[in-house]
Amino acid sequence: KAGVTQTPRYLIKTRGQQVTLSCSPISGHRSVSWYQQTPGQGLQFLFEYFSETQRNKGNFPGRFSGRQFSNSRSEMNVSTLELGDSALYLCASSTVQGLPREQYFGPGTRLTVT
Amino acid sequence: AQSVTQLDSQVPVFEEAPVELRCNYSSSVSVYLFWYVQYPNQGLQLLLKYLSGSTLVKGINGFEAEFNKSQTSFHLRKPSVHISDTAEYFCAVSDQNAGNMLTFGGGTRLMVKP
C-alpha cells in the first residue's frame, strides 16, 4: 500500500507571497492532519480534516488554512508569507474507525521563505 | 491541556550500549502515548504506542517503552543500539478528547558513536 505523499518536497517563496501544499493520504484513510516543524517551536499541530470538514485546529493565525477534497486529498494554504513560516510541513493520515487513531506521516514539504 | 517533556535534547551513546530516552507527560484524562523516530530529511515513523493494557510496550527495531501512570512517564529503551539508530526521537500524547491531534515533546537527538 502506498504511503502518504506530499508535493512539492521543497519550495522557496518570497515574503508576502502565498503557497499551497498538497497531501495524498494512504488509500482508505479519511482523516488528514497537518503539522509544522521548526527548530524553535518543534512539532505543532495545525489542523485536521475529515470528510471535507475541519475537525480540529491548532493555535495558528488565520493565514493558515486548509481543505480536503472528496477523495480525501488535502491542501493547506499559507497566505502573506512571513520569514517565520519557514518550516517543514508534515501531513499525516489515519483511519477514524475505532481507537487508537494511529497516524502515518508523509516525508514533508520543506518551505523556505526569503 | 496536554504537554510532553523530553528531558534530554541530546543523548550520545556508544554502539552496542543500552540507551534510555526519557519522556514525561501531563494530561487530565486517560492518554494514549507514542514514540516516533525521524531520520534526516524524512517524516516521522511510529516506533511504538501505548493504548491500554500491559504497561510494557514493544515496538519496531528492538525498542520498548514502559508506561508509568504514577510517574506520568513513558521512557523509551533499547538494550543495544546501532549506528543506524542515530536519529531524532519524539514522544507524543493524545487522548479521547483530542481526536487525531498529537502533542509532541521537543525531541531527543540520539547520537550513536562507533
Side-chain angles (χ1 to χ4, degrees), chain A residues 9-10 31 33 35 37 43 45 48 55-57 88 90 94-96 99-103 105-108 110, chain B residues 32 34 36 38 41-46 49 51 88 90 94-106:
Chain A
R9 290 292 312 278
Y10 302 91
S31 168
S33 299
Y35 292 83
Q37 185 177 23
L43 279 154
F45 173 81
E48 179 201 357
R55 284 211 304 191
N56 214 342
K57 190 177 192 308
L88 181 67
L90 293 165
S94 70
T95 173
V96 292
L99 294 171
R101 302 176 180 100
E102 182 173 330
Q103 300 197 53
F105 283 80
R110 184 163 297 280
Chain B
Y32 306 118
F34 306 82
Y36 284 87
Q38 186 177 35
N41 299 316
Q42 294 187 28
L44 302 175
Q45 180 183 9
L46 181 67
K49 59 183 182 281
L51 314 170
E88 187 102 22
F90 293 94
S94 181
D95 64 47
Q96 58 188 2
N97 299 324
N100 278 332
M101 184 179 77
L102 291 172
T103 300
F104 285 91

Side-chain angles (χ1 to χ4, degrees), chain A residues 16-37:
Chain A
Q17 289 185 316
Q18 75 167 15
V19 67
T20 299
L21 312 182
S22 180
C23 171
S24 293
I26 291 172
S27 177
H29 285 191
R30 297 168 62 193
S31 168
V32 174
S33 299
W34 289 89
Y35 292 83
Q36 182 196 63
Q37 185 177 23

Side-chain angles (χ1 to χ4, degrees), chain B:
Chain B
Q2 302 167 331
S3 68
V4 180
T5 302
Q6 291 184 243
L7 298 162
D8 306 297
S9 59
Q10 295 186 63
V11 172
V13 63
F14 285 106
E15 193 174 18
E16 297 183 8
V19 70
E20 177 180 83
L21 306 184
R22 297 180 293 171
C23 171
N24 286 88
Y25 68 92
S26 68
S27 176
S28 58
V29 297
S30 296
V31 297
Y32 306 118
L33 293 157
F34 306 82
W35 274 99
Y36 284 87
V37 61
Q38 186 177 35
Y39 299 102
N41 299 316
Q42 294 187 28
L44 302 175
Q45 180 183 9
L46 181 67
L47 280 176
L48 49 78
K49 59 183 182 281
Y50 171 79
L51 314 170
S52 64
S54 174
T55 57
L56 184 61
V57 179
K58 294 191 182 296
I60 62 171
N61 300 340
F63 285 95
E64 64 180 33
E66 186 158 17
F67 170 60
N68 188 319
K69 188 174 182 179
S70 63
Q71 297 187 8
T72 60
S73 69
F74 190 55
H75 300 333
L76 182 70
R77 300 186 184 100
K78 186 170 183 178
S80 176
V81 295
H82 304 289
I83 295 288
S84 59
D85 292 323
T86 295
E88 187 102 22
Y89 292 79
F90 293 94
C91 181
V93 64
S94 181
D95 64 47
Q96 58 188 2
N97 299 324
N100 278 332
M101 184 179 77
L102 291 172
T103 300
F104 285 91
T108 297
R109 184 171 300 277
L110 176 64
M111 299 174 293
V112 182
K113 301 180 287 185

Side-chain angles (χ1 to χ4, degrees), chain A:
Chain A
K1 196 183 257 191
V4 177
T5 58
Q6 293 186 246
T7 57
R9 290 292 312 278
Y10 302 91
L11 204 50
I12 299 175
K13 289 287 188 179
T14 303
R15 192 170 46 184
Q17 289 185 316
Q18 75 167 15
V19 67
T20 299
L21 312 182
S22 180
C23 171
S24 293
I26 291 172
S27 177
H29 285 191
R30 297 168 62 193
S31 168
V32 174
S33 299
W34 289 89
Y35 292 83
Q36 182 196 63
Q37 185 177 23
T38 60
Q41 299 299 317
L43 279 154
Q44 294 184 288
F45 173 81
L46 279 157
F47 29 64
E48 179 201 357
Y49 285 87
F50 172 68
S51 290
E52 303 176 63
T53 301
Q54 187 179 90
R55 284 211 304 191
N56 214 342
K57 190 177 192 308
N59 189 24
F60 278 83
R63 300 185 296 106
F64 291 81
S65 63
R67 60 177 176 169
Q68 187 180 34
F69 301 94
S70 58
N71 62 357
S72 295
R73 189 177 70 86
S74 176
E75 290 181 346
M76 67 162 283
N77 183 276
V78 188
S79 63
T80 319
L81 284 165
E82 300 177 0
L83 296 179
D85 297 332
S86 294
L88 181 67
Y89 290 88
L90 293 165
C91 165
S93 77
S94 70
T95 173
V96 292
Q97 292 178 346
L99 294 171
R101 302 176 180 100
E102 182 173 330
Q103 300 197 53
Y104 297 84
F105 283 80
T109 293
R110 184 163 297 280
L111 172 64
T112 302
V113 182
T114 62

